[in-house]
């Protein structure tokens, strides 16, 4: 697609004249009549390089116990396999509850038209509201709110939630590259800061990983939960506050069995709805 800044000089000059002529007043005070051929259509917006969030399947599942209280601890990850980074920037564009501040999602435009994000070339952006950011006292830095949701259910009763974390806040950053099964990406690590005013994000081909020992990476099991087969679902962007190319890959499921305090991985196909 030809962009406005790439057109021949004559075309640019002609467009400028058309704008000026259209603004000339007639001797009677009204706008002068300009032939339709003199008008120039506005160029189409440069396409956006959209992110595509994917939920990594839970890893490092194990039980931690404190007296009679049991927690299932696990590692989770948010990956990006889209055409552009997922990025949020703190700003004051809208109000948030006390102790939080508003964030906008930044979407980069494909300036050079090659369909791939380039840090130094694709510098034009579009912005949209993406909710709030909150300070996490245990992690001692700022998080993007509602980044993920965790749920445990039985495969025989997927509609019945045993326990859930309604929404988890994350500092979005590049932790490690996505598994090879998602493809090969060659983008360098870029995001890492989690301060009050720093942009947060996940580069194309990278995963934001949260290890099992971190605060919030656990679900407290009700006392009545006994041995048996269970499913742990991770859903990223559960409130749909981020724009991306598709949402169908925003969930992952890990099947596991409990035998006392022992966790055994099972075939995750057992957690999928039956046709």
């Amino acid at each position: 697609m030809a962009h406005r800044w790439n057109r021949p000089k004559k075309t640019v000059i002609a467009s400028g004249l058309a704008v000026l002529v259209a603004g000339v007043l007639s001797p009677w005070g009204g706008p002068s009549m300009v032939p339709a051929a003199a008008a120039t259509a506005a160029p189409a917006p440069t396409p956006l390089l959209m992110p595509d969030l994917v939920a990594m399947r839970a890893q490092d599942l194990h039980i931690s116990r404190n007296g009679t209280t049991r927690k299932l601890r696990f590692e989770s990850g948010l990956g990006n396999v889209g055409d552009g980074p997922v990025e949020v920037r703190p700003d004051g564009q809208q109000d948030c509850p006390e102790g939080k501040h508003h964030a906008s999602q930044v979407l980069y435009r494909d300036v050079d038209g090659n369909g791939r994000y380039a840090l130094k070339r694709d510098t034009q952006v579009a912005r949209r509201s993406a909710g709030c950011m909150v300070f996490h006292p245990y992690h001692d830095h700022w998080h993007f709110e509602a980044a993920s949701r965790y749920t445990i259910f039985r495969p025989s009763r997927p509609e019945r939630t045993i326990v859930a974390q309604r929404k988890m806040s994350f500092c979005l950053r590049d932790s490690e590259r996505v598994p090879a099964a998602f493809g090969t990406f060659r983008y360098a690590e870029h995001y890492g800061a989690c301060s009050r005013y720093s942009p947060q994000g996940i580069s194309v081909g990278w995963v934001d990983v949260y290890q099992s020992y971190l605060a919030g990476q656990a679900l407290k099991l009700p006392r009545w939960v006994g041995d048996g087969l269970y499913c742990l679902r991770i859903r990223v962007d559960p409130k749909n506050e981020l724009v991306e190319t598709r949402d169908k890959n925003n969930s992952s499921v890990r099947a596991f069995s409990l035998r006392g305090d022992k966790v055994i991985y099972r075939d995750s196909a057992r957690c999928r709805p039956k046709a």
Side-chain angles (χ1 to χ4, degrees), residues 217-268:
Q217 288 301 120
L219 290 170
K220 182 180 178 181
L221 299 178
R223 292 189 179 184
W224 53 264
V225 171
D227 293 353
L229 179 65
Y230 298 91
C231 306
L232 171 59
R233 177 186 292 121
I234 296 176
R235 178 168 179 81
V236 299
D237 191 25
K239 296 178 66 177
N240 200 29
E241 291 184 323
L242 298 173
V243 170
E244 53 179 309
T245 55
R246 51 183 173 167
D247 294 322
K248 291 184 178 180
N249 56 355
N250 282 23
S251 292
S252 67
V253 177
R254 167 71 75 182
F256 66 97
S257 290
L258 282 179
R259 290 184 183 174
D261 287 352
K262 186 177 182 180
V263 177
I264 306 168
Y265 291 171
R266 299 300 187 189
D267 182 0
S268 293

Side-chain angles (χ1 to χ4, degrees), residues 115 145 154 159 190 192 206 212 218 223 233 241 256:
E145 208 171 29
R154 283 190 179 274
E159 76 286 351
H190 179 67
W206 286 81
S212 62
R223 292 189 179 184
R233 177 186 292 121
E241 291 184 323
F256 66 97

